[in-house]
Amino acid sequence: DGFGEPLSWITLNTVQTISRRLGIRSSVEVDEMLSMFHDLGVIVHMSGSELLRETITLQPQWLIDGICRIIRDEDLHPVDEVTISSAGLSKDLKRLYTQGLASNDLFDFLLSENGTFERHIGFFRDLMRHMILLSDWKLNGENIYLIPSLLKDNVGAKIISKDLEDLGGGFTASSNECIFEFSEALPLGVFQRIVCLCVSFSTTLNTEDSVSGNNVDDHVLYRSEARISLGEKVKLYILESENKVYVDCVYVDNKENESKSSANAATCFNIVSSSLKKLNQDIMGSGLEWEVFFKTKDSFNSNGSLQEFYSLEEARNIKLAPWFAKREIATVSIDNFLTSF
């Protein structure tokens, strides 16, 4: 009305009340109006959950300020040590900064601080899920959140090289490897969002090799490389290097079963490929371009030099093992999972 500070947000109920005063009584018309204003950039309104639907953002800076309560720099945005200590969250805050993992209590505390976002904690949790800035993870029985933007670089030995060498796979002359090659270097945050989606997908799995996919404790995650457990015995390895993302899969079993290995590799390829497609469409405005190549242990001759890469089309046509299998380990549809994410 021209008085006071501009509102940062309003509720859907308020919009509906104003609309009725103006003669717009159909909820369908209100939804269409909000969708149009969102597309024009006048407001921000999402409908991925009831909490998102109920809040209409008028000032985008309000969203940024709220997200920055969670995705924060330890030096630029310090938390008062006395306050965090009295809340019993000092260890939780340290884990957020060092491992990119936030407890539910810490998430609520950071958004409740100073009262600015206290009534919108659930909204920002759903918003960060929707923007692929957060994924749920159960660690040692505790429900926590992975904040992939806060993952650190690995300053020690590369988990990818060491693990896969020990297990007889990965990113070496003897490995099966899938390579996503982009037309240019990946924008900051894309790889971390791939990790976010893969971790979220892992919590939905109930594979034949795992009693429950919901209690996976042994993901190892860094800014540009990750080992993600898809059940008890299946390890997905992904690595970012310049304009490429490398994917490998290991079936951890002393008695390697070829059909299981192939099914596992197919699932690993499909979750990374589908995650990229979702990111490109939902987040990147379809601005990413890439090609996919495959190599297998048979792609190398006896002296270890590369003989051949297979394009995606070639690999599909010849049903290149282990990447293309009739059956996958996942009992949950990857496409259905990503659609509902």
Side-chain angles (χ1 to χ4, degrees), residues 125-136:
R125 187 180 287 114
D126 282 1
L127 175 68
M128 292 182 67
R129 283 192 185 107
H130 180 78
M131 298 180 66
I132 319 178
L133 296 173
L134 171 154
S135 63
D136 300 271

Side-chain angles (χ1 to χ4, degrees), residues 33-320:
M33 174 188 69
L34 291 173
S35 178
M36 180 186 71
F37 285 157
H38 175 86
D39 291 342
L40 292 172
V42 177
I43 62 170
V44 179
H45 183 236
M46 291 161 285
S47 56
S49 74
E50 192 61 29
L51 286 172
L52 293 177
R53 174 175 159 73
E54 289 297 318
T55 301
I56 292 91
T57 303
L58 304 178
Q59 303 292 333
Q61 187 62 47
W62 179 74
L63 293 179
I64 296 171
D65 291 343
I67 292 172
C68 286
R69 290 289 184 92
I70 307 300
I71 302 177
R72 58 198 298 150
D73 184 276
E74 183 176 6
D75 298 321
L76 296 177
H77 310 104
V79 180
D80 182 73
E81 292 184 10
V82 175
T83 304
I84 200 76
S85 178
S86 63
L89 295 171
S90 297
K91 290 183 179 179
D92 294 48
L93 184 64
K94 182 178 180 180
R95 184 170 64 173
L96 176 69
Y97 288 141
T98 57
Q99 297 179 295
L101 300 175
S103 66
N104 190 67
D105 289 342
L106 179 64
F107 191 96
D108 293 357
F109 174 86
L110 293 175
L111 279 166
S112 300
E113 195 177 15
N114 302 326
T116 308
F117 303 100
E118 189 168 12
R119 64 179 293 182
H120 288 97
I121 292 173
F123 168 82
F124 277 99
R125 187 180 287 114
D126 282 1
L127 175 68
M128 292 182 67
R129 283 192 185 107
H130 180 78
M131 298 180 66
I132 319 178
L133 296 173
L134 171 154
S135 63
D136 300 271
W137 184 4
K138 183 170 258 187
L139 180 64
N140 298 322
E142 177 190 7
N143 292 316
I144 60 174
Y145 307 114
L146 167 65
I147 314 297
S149 300
L150 295 179
L151 291 173
K152 302 297 184 183
D153 290 318
N154 183 10
V155 296
K158 292 291 186 183
I159 59 167
I160 303 294
S161 302
K162 182 180 185 305
D163 277 11
L164 292 178
E165 184 177 352
D166 293 344
L167 293 169
F171 309 134
T172 66
S174 62
S175 69
N176 297 306
E177 190 174 305
C178 171
I179 303 167
F180 293 82
E181 183 173 353
F182 296 83
S183 57
E184 55 188 31
L186 277 178
L188 185 65
V190 171
F191 180 81
Q192 291 74 31
R193 281 181 161 108
I194 296 173
V195 171
C196 186
L197 287 169
C198 291
V199 169
S200 290
F201 178 71
S202 74
T203 67
T204 72
L205 285 175
N206 183 11
T207 73
E208 62 184 43
D209 298 310
S210 175
V211 175
S212 172
N214 294 324
N215 292 288
V216 177
D217 295 343
D218 61 345
H219 300 320
V220 180
L221 311 174
Y222 292 100
R223 188 187 302 273
S224 59
E225 61 172 320
R227 184 191 74 200
I228 299 169
S229 295
L230 302 179
E232 182 182 348
K233 297 179 179 179
V234 183
K235 309 297 181 185
L236 163 64
Y237 290 82
I238 51 177
L239 169 70
E240 177 188 18
S241 179
E242 297 179 348
N243 68 325
K244 296 181 179 68
V245 172
Y246 298 86
V247 178
D248 200 352
C249 172
V250 170
Y251 183 78
V252 186
D253 196 336
N254 291 332
K255 296 179 180 180
E256 178 73 24
N257 182 296
E258 185 174 349
S259 65
K260 288 182 179 179
S261 176
S262 185
N264 296 331
T267 294
C268 290
F269 163 68
N270 284 332
I271 182 58
V272 175
S273 178
S274 298
S275 296
L276 270 171
K277 291 175 184 176
K278 178 178 178 63
L279 285 170
N280 198 30
Q281 179 177 338
D282 294 358
I283 306 296
M284 303 304 298
S286 301
L288 295 178
E289 297 180 356
W290 67 85
E291 296 182 88
V292 185
F293 299 96
F294 299 87
K295 73 177 180 67
T296 71
K297 295 176 182 179
D298 297 331
S299 299
F300 292 84
N301 58 33
S302 58
N303 64 14
S305 61
L306 183 65
Q307 286 184 318
E308 183 179 6
F309 279 99
Y310 297 89
S311 69
L312 177 58
E313 183 178 0
E314 290 170 334
R316 277 181 175 155
N317 287 341
I318 66 173
K319 293 182 171 55
L320 183 67

